[in-house]
Amino acid sequence: MLKRLLSGNEAIARGAYENGVSFAAGYPGTPATEIVEEIAKYNRIDAQWSVNEKVALDVAVGASLGGARTLVAMKHVGLNVASDTLFTLSYTGVNGGLVIVTADDPGMHSSQNEQDNRFYAKFAKIPLLEPSDSQEAKDFVGLGLSISEIFDTPVLIRITTAIAHSKSIVKFNIKQKTNFHNKTFRKDSAKWVMIPANARKRRLLVEARLKKLKNFSERIWCNRIEWGKRNIGIITSSICYQYAKEALSDASILKLGMTYPLPEFLIKKFASKIQDLYVIEELDPFLEEQVKVLGIELKGKELFPQTGELSPSLVKDKISIRGSQNKVSSTETIEKFPPRVPSLCPGCPYLGFFYTLKKLKLFVAGDIGCYALGALPPASAMHTCISMGSSIGIALGLEKAMKDRIKHKLIAVIGDSTFLHAGIPELIDVVYNKGSVTIIIFDNQTIAMTGRQDHPGTGVTLKKESSRRFDYVKLIRALGVKNVQVVNIYDLKATKKAILEETNRDSVSVVVAKGPCILLDKYKNRKRLFKVVNSENCRKCHECLNLGCAAITIKEKGRIEIDAELCIGCSICAQLCRYNAIEKYAPR
Amino acid sequence: MRLVNPRKVDVIIAGIGGQGVLLAGEIVAEMFMKTGFDVKKYEVRGISQRTGSVVCYIRAATKVFSPVISEGSADFLVGLELIDTYRYRKFLKKDGNIIVVDRIIPFYLIGDSSIIHPNNLLTRLRREFRRVTVVNYDRIDQYFRFVNAVNMVILGVFSNYLNLDEQSWQEVIKKKVPHKTVDMNLKAFKSGRRMILK
Ligand code: SF4
Ligand code: SF4
């Protein structure tokens, strides 16, 4: 049998392949990005990056309607964007099986919030699957597709960072079917046109479907009891199952793979045989509340935090194997050791830009992307960051509220892909409502933060085919913005001039600041020119340290040194040094 | 030195983005798989790409549940950078092994910086743990430093602690690194494996 070490994300992609998915879509977002990326490597599957998650889900709905088995993947906040379609999709149901994967991020490793997306399943009244390792991640895709087709419903698979990014052994199904028959496409407006008259009828079907799903969850193989000693019983799902197994090896465990709707009889049967019952789950008490409603006594969130990730040691600490509760764990001794503050890459095009923003003392409404790090020292030059595209609207609102008190002192900064994702309607709003905001679009030719994916602005598709390259200037002009400039972000003087010119205007303006992400492959092989400090000229003013380039460090007696292995030779530091102490040199 | 407990091995590799922590972890995990163990691997990376903390957990045993290693239970802590190795020391058990490069990659510092000095950190590590092997950064061939192959050198040093033959290591490395860099990576690995350390 073929066995491989796969991450949860790779396993989901493999599951899509083995189970005849023929179309997949998504928008990059940690920790979900690799799912669609890996799917794209299978020639048989048509896969795409969409411009945002709602579009991805809409295209997926069309593909399902067209008969294809379909998978969509996104990070937790992405499902917020797609939720408009999701709630009504629950009514229409599907044609070809449709699975939506949401990757949640407990602990907020790379996210702006910690929402628990299991609630979306309950909210939208659709079934929810939670794999606990890569094997299940693969198997649950097949299970989800079958449930979707049998019960005529979209299915939500929820993973977390610990599932998405951990690798475990997966057995491949090599004798898989290769000829999956697509469902036949049929016009059926009673099912697909959700005007009130039709929706009211579908609404009843949704409730009937939930009842059937509840019965189904009593019997499905992924919900099972692992009997151990009966004094301690654990109800759990997802990665917490692994933590429970590791920490409490003799406890009885009700392992739930399908966590909505819940198998009430199975839970009652389990609970009736257990002395002390616990629910172990990360984030919100999603299982706990539903089990408590059944009139079952248990302990859950009074022991475990509602925030962050759990761990085997935390589980062990809270539930003693002897059945008596341990002392509450000593609050972790706070490490006095300074944390490694995340920073932009050495030579990142944003470094010089935020340096300039700081000097100009502007209020900066920011957005989602690597550039959010501009909020951290030394630049500390970004002052809001909430959701995709919101920088532009927030800037407009500030202007409306503060008028002359903030006019000419305000800009919005947004990345290229973020602008395409959600910024365009916001820009239209500024034009329409006569705002005078200046918007900077960072064109770094990639979705950098999630590991460099293509988007409409790069003119390359997920399958690496060339496509139409999006033209920012033309679009922005067409939206009614008269003042549009394009600058090279590595030219400190020119960028500064452009920012000053545009912020001083009384009408809306846009600056497209161009500079590729330094990690892009096409720039990897460029000749590296290092800058070193010419110690005779250096007056130790330490202005270069304000740039925050990780390659520049201060050594003994205030001496400045540039790390030759980190520096990419972008020249920004040399531009800002007033004493010409930083200069080029050719390596070796 | 050979595997302390042949039924279970927990390894942590720590470093910063751009150093190849994840690739090194990938290779170790693949090696463990060859032994027929159950294997899990987990990596934690922050939002920043280069110069952010990266840590990778690799676990092998007859049956592995949690991909995350609990504090005080890792058998090995392999460090490509001193500050971040120091940071993850709490995961190592008291008689665990540390293999670390004495290189510091600085960062914009908030707070007291006096502690961040190689000798200071090494002394502290040695005070807490008995088995600390230090690879002097200056002893690593300039060439390997320049092409970012320090991870392979350290992997070579680490390989001496495991009962796995060199042939298999080479096969896995060949499989895992980009085609064009196979020779360079194999050379780096070898130089680490042959390095004589006090
Ligand atoms: S040239 Fe200066 S700013 Fe650019 S990467 Fe090198 S040290 Fe950093
Ligand atoms: S990944 Fe690219 S855009 Fe992001 S910080 Fe690094 S250089 Fe800048």
Side-chain angles (χ1 to χ4, degrees):
Chain A
M1 189 184 307
L2 194 55
K3 284 188 197 168
R4 286 265 188 289
L5 199 59
L6 296 190
S7 70
N9 286 348
E10 289 166 333
I12 288 173
R14 178 74 198 178
Y17 174 72
E18 287 184 6
N19 291 287
V21 164
S22 57
F23 180 79
Y27 181 82
T30 314
T33 312
E34 299 84 8
I35 299 172
V36 178
E37 236 166 18
E38 289 295 323
I39 287 180
K41 292 182 186 161
Y42 296 103
N43 291 331
R44 206 183 67 204
I45 308 179
D46 189 357
Q48 68 171 48
W49 288 132
S50 287
V51 72
N52 68 35
E53 293 86 353
K54 178 179 185 298
V55 176
L57 183 54
D58 289 336
V59 179
V61 171
S64 162
L65 171 58
R69 282 194 148 190
T70 302
L71 185 144
V72 218
M74 55 195 68
K75 72 180 292 173
H76 59 341
V77 288
L79 195 52
N80 299 340
V81 179
S83 62
D84 198 6
T85 297
L86 176 70
F87 286 103
T88 308
L89 180 64
S90 169
Y91 287 25
T92 63
V94 302
N95 187 27
L98 173 56
V99 161
I100 301 164
V101 183
T102 168
D104 293 8
D105 189 14
M108 294 183 271
H109 296 284
S110 185
S111 302
Q112 63 270 42
N113 80 23
E114 205 178 34
Q115 66 188 55
D116 188 334
N117 273 12
R118 293 178 299 173
F119 286 99
Y120 268 117
K122 194 165 180 239
F123 201 178
K125 298 172 183 280
I126 58 173
L128 172 66
L129 301 175
E130 286 188 86
S132 70
D133 60 17
S134 298
Q135 180 69 49
E136 285 189 347
K138 190 197 86 170
D139 295 342
F140 283 14
V141 173
L143 176 64
L145 289 163
S146 306
I147 295 177
S148 175
E149 283 167 0
I150 295 167
F151 293 90
D152 190 9
T153 175
V155 171
L156 189 62
I157 295 183
R158 184 248 196 181
I159 57 172
T160 58
T161 308
I163 299 291
H165 287 171
S166 71
K167 292 200 170 185
S168 55
I169 297 174
V170 176
K171 294 180 191 129
F172 282 15
N173 184 3
I174 331 178
K175 282 184 297 196
Q176 43 173 304
K177 294 199 284 180
T178 41
N179 52 333
F180 286 92
H181 287 296
N182 277 6
K183 294 253 174 164
T184 37
F185 163 73
R186 257 186 330 118
K187 262 197 214 165
D188 183 352
S189 27
K191 177 171 160 63
W192 289 98
V193 181
M194 286 304 95
I195 52 172
N198 291 339
R200 279 186 210 112
K201 291 185 197 124
R202 298 293 308 180
R203 173 79 186 84
L204 301 175
L205 293 180
V206 170
E207 293 305 321
R209 183 179 74 199
L210 260 188
K211 276 215 186 88
K212 283 187 215 148
L213 282 164
K214 203 171 247 176
N215 283 332
F216 178 79
S217 77
E218 303 282 357
R219 290 171 285 117
I220 182 65
W221 51 267
C222 66
N223 291 338
R224 60 165 194 264
I225 297 174
E226 295 174 5
W227 288 113
K229 292 197 180 133
R230 310 272 167 124
N231 58 342
I232 293 186
I234 310 289
I235 300 176
T236 189
S237 67
S238 186
I239 193 70
C240 300
Y241 164 76
Q242 308 293 355
Y243 299 161
K245 286 296 267 189
E246 174 138 345
L248 311 162
S249 47
D250 347 316
S252 292
I253 294 185
L254 170 54
K255 195 239 178 241
L256 297 172
M258 180 167 174
T259 46
Y260 193 80
L262 284 178
E264 291 179 7
F265 291 107
L266 189 64
I267 292 172
K268 283 181 182 155
K269 176 178 135 196
F270 180 69
S272 69
K273 306 233 162 75
I274 294 295
Q275 192 188 321
D276 292 321
L277 187 65
Y278 301 86
V279 169
I280 305 180
E281 59 189 323
E282 279 173 340
L283 301 183
D284 295 333
F286 178 77
L287 299 175
E288 180 180 340
E289 282 173 0
Q290 295 184 75
V291 176
K292 276 187 174 160
V293 168
L294 301 177
I296 294 169
E297 256 183 66
L298 59 85
K299 288 208 171 65
K301 288 298 168 188
E302 63 260 62
L303 298 176
F304 294 102
Q306 295 220 23
T307 57
E309 295 180 288
L310 302 184
S311 67
S313 34
L314 191 63
V315 171
K316 201 170 213 159
D317 202 22
K318 299 290 181 186
I319 305 174
S320 142
I321 203 68
R322 265 155 263 103
S324 64
Q325 249 151 261
N326 264 355
K327 47 158 191 7
V328 181
S329 72
S330 54
T331 40
E332 257 206 37
T333 40
I334 294 152
E335 276 238 50
K336 279 191 215 81
F337 200 61
R340 190 175 280 279
V341 183
S343 62
L344 294 165
C345 300
C348 171
Y350 303 145
L351 285 168
F353 195 86
F354 281 108
Y355 170 83
T356 305
L357 287 186
K358 186 184 189 177
K359 293 272 139 163
L360 295 177
K361 298 201 172 61
L362 295 169
F363 185 91
V364 182
D367 227 297
I368 310 273
C370 284
Y371 47 92
L373 294 171
L376 298 177
S380 308
M382 203 177 100
H383 309 110
T384 69
C385 174
I386 296 184
S387 71
M388 296 287 281
S390 62
S391 58
I392 301 176
I394 288 172
L396 177 63
L398 275 166
E399 189 192 333
K400 296 280 176 190
M402 295 175 68
K403 310 234 156 52
D404 286 346
R405 280 177 292 148
I406 203 156
K407 221 172 183 178
H408 307 310
K409 285 180 250 154
L410 172 67
I411 66 166
V413 298
I414 185 167
D416 44 3
S417 183
T418 311
F419 177 69
L420 299 173
H421 178 287
I424 297 173
E426 309 233 353
L427 178 55
I428 296 174
D429 208 67
V430 177
V431 176
Y432 176 53
N433 290 303
K434 302 181 181 170
S436 67
V437 178
T438 298
I439 296 137
I440 312 293
I441 297 174
F442 291 130
D443 180 9
N444 72 344
Q445 287 299 304
T446 188
I447 307 178
M449 193 164 64
T450 47
R452 300 175 298 289
Q453 287 75 32
D454 282 297
H455 60 76
T458 69
V460 178
T461 68
L462 172 59
K463 289 274 192 180
K464 300 288 166 219
E465 288 156 5
S466 76
S467 173
R468 197 185 168 86
R469 188 163 169 167
F470 186 87
D471 185 332
Y472 299 96
V473 176
K474 266 195 194 150
L475 173 95
I476 292 159
R477 287 236 160 83
L479 295 181
V481 181
K482 290 207 189 69
N483 310 298
V484 190
Q485 294 200 29
V486 178
V487 292
N488 169 5
I489 201 167
Y490 281 113
D491 186 337
L492 277 187
K493 266 198 198 128
T495 1
K496 187 171 174 185
K497 186 169 153 269
I499 297 172
L500 281 173
E501 251 170 50
E502 299 305 340
T503 47
N504 280 324
R505 263 184 230 286
D506 282 329
S507 59
V508 53
S509 55
V510 175
V511 178
V512 180
K514 281 187 182 285
C517 168
I518 63 145
L519 297 183
L520 282 175
D521 282 345
K522 46 185 160 177
Y523 300 100
K524 262 194 186 144
N525 296 329
R526 70 180 158 187
K527 195 163 184 299
R528 298 205 257 185
L529 294 172
F530 307 142
K531 311 270 164 178
V532 285
V533 167
N534 175 332
S535 42
E536 271 162 38
N537 289 3
C538 177
R539 308 226 186 138
K540 297 185 180 165
C541 70
H542 292 170
E543 185 61 16
C544 51
L545 289 175
N546 289 331
L547 199 55
C549 176
I552 310 175
T553 50
I554 178 163
K555 294 278 160 166
E556 72 293 332
K557 294 188 196 137
R559 188 174 60 84
I560 292 292
E561 195 178 281
I562 291 179
D563 186 314
E565 283 144 64
L566 291 178
C567 171
I568 65 145
C570 76
S571 89
I572 292 276
C573 56
Q575 288 179 50
L576 67 82
C577 176
R578 266 168 294 178
Y579 307 110
N580 296 324
I582 302 178
E583 46 189 48
K584 274 188 200 170
Y585 90 99
R588 297 192 291 171
Chain B
M1 228 177 299
R2 291 297 167 213
L3 274 193
V4 194
N5 175 355
R7 276 165 301 136
K8 169 230 156 214
V9 199
D10 287 342
V11 181
I12 293 186
I13 307 180
I16 68 159
Q19 283 193 307
V21 172
L22 303 183
L23 181 61
E26 223 21 54
I27 291 166
V28 173
E30 201 66 34
M31 284 304 291
F32 286 162
M33 247 190 95
K34 284 191 165 225
T35 64
F37 273 135
D38 186 19
V39 178
K40 283 193 180 170
K41 170 178 171 276
Y42 184 41
E43 53 202 45
V44 182
R45 21 184 165 147
I47 39 176
S48 40
Q49 316 257 332
R50 299 190 74 186
T51 73
S53 284
V54 181
V55 64
C56 180
Y57 306 82
I58 307 110
R59 313 194 66 187
T62 2
K63 174 81 189 143
V64 184
F65 291 107
S66 165
V68 183
I69 298 176
S70 297
E71 287 181 17
S73 68
D75 304 282
F76 293 96
L77 171 57
V78 180
L80 300 180
E81 199 272 352
L82 198 45
I83 300 176
D84 277 78
T85 305
Y86 186 72
R87 201 186 302 283
Y88 285 99
R89 73 195 185 285
K90 61 180 178 209
F91 286 94
L92 195 69
K93 58 185 188 193
K94 277 285 156 267
D95 59 347
N97 284 282
I98 298 180
I99 297 127
V100 65
V101 195
D102 62 351
R103 177 181 197 206
I104 279 194
I105 296 181
F107 55 95
Y108 191 82
L109 208 63
I110 298 171
D112 179 18
S113 66
S114 57
I115 164 174
I116 314 265
H117 187 278
N119 289 337
N120 184 351
L121 290 177
L122 284 174
T123 320
R124 279 161 181 255
L125 277 181
R126 287 211 168 95
R127 216 182 290 143
E128 281 180 58
F129 300 95
R130 264 188 310 124
R131 305 165 196 243
V132 182
T133 305
V134 181
V135 181
N136 196 270
Y137 188 58
D138 294 328
R139 276 192 56 199
I140 297 176
D141 191 293
Q142 278 234 343
Y143 171 72
F144 296 140
R145 285 164 21 191
F146 184 75
V147 294
N148 276 324
V150 175
N151 59 345
M152 290 299 147
V153 178
I154 303 308
L155 206 57
V157 176
F158 171 57
S159 72
N160 288 318
Y161 289 77
L162 302 170
N163 230 337
L164 307 165
D165 65 297
E166 184 160 357
Q167 182 83 27
S168 314
W169 281 102
Q170 288 174 353
E171 280 162 23
V172 173
I173 292 171
K174 270 186 213 156
K175 210 167 90 187
K176 291 283 168 189
V177 305
H179 281 310
K180 276 183 270 170
T181 65
V182 168
D183 284 348
M184 179 267 287
N185 279 303
L186 284 177
K187 252 195 243 157
F189 176 81
K190 222 185 233 167
S191 94
R193 198 168 161 99
R194 309 265 184 283
M195 200 178 269
I196 299 177
L197 297 159
K198 281 161 274 161

